[in-house]
């Protein structure tokens, strides 16, 4: 039931967030990306007042507790580890959007 907008990289995601014709309710990102990390993307989002309130969720194979801690301190809303169960995934997404 969600409309999605894809991005090919962290920079592409930032440009889509800046597009005022798009209504972005949540950013779902992997931690590992071609041009940056999800952590770098998260920091750029949270430092930009225009989009800082957009929830960010990582969907990733990463499980390093230090990376998880730093991301949560930077404002990450949720960390979903792959593989995941669909019902848990959607519950986390709905909670992040509602927050």
């Amino acid at each position: 039931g969600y409309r999605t907008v894809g991005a090919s990289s962290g920079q592409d995601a930032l440009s889509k967030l800046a597009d005022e014709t798009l209504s972005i309710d949540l950013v779902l990102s992997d931690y590992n990306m071609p041009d940056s990390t999800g952590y770098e993307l998260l920091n750029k989002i949270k430092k930009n007042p225009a989009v800082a309130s957009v929830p960010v969720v990582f969907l990733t194979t990463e499980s390093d507790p230090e990376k998880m801690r730093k991301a949560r301190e930077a404002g990450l809303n949720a960390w979903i580890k792959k593989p995941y169960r669909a019902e848990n995934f959607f519950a986390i997404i709905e909670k992040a959007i509602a927050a």
Side-chain angles (χ1 to χ4, degrees):
Y2 296 105
R3 184 177 67 99
T4 61
V5 177
S8 60
S9 66
Q11 188 57 45
D12 188 25
L14 290 171
S15 68
K16 297 221 167 116
L17 280 165
D19 183 342
E20 294 180 8
T21 65
L22 297 174
S23 176
I24 308 292
D25 296 320
L26 178 127
V27 172
L28 179 64
S29 174
D30 199 334
Y31 187 91
N32 299 302
M33 295 185 287
D35 65 343
S36 65
T37 65
Y39 181 73
E40 292 166 333
L41 174 62
L42 172 67
N43 278 317
K44 289 176 182 175
I45 290 170
K46 295 304 177 182
K47 289 180 180 172
N48 179 343
V51 294
S53 65
V54 174
V56 179
V57 174
F58 287 165
L59 175 62
T60 183
T61 58
E62 285 287 341
S63 61
D64 181 328
E66 182 62 15
K67 288 178 181 176
M68 294 171 79
R69 182 191 63 76
K70 285 177 63 178
R72 290 196 192 280
E73 287 176 358
L76 184 71
N77 294 80
W79 187 293
I80 303 171
K81 178 125 174 29
K82 295 176 190 175
Y84 60 90
R85 296 182 58 192
E87 59 272 9
N88 294 343
F89 171 81
F90 287 112
I92 291 167
I93 296 301
E94 289 172 11
K95 183 177 177 183
I97 291 173

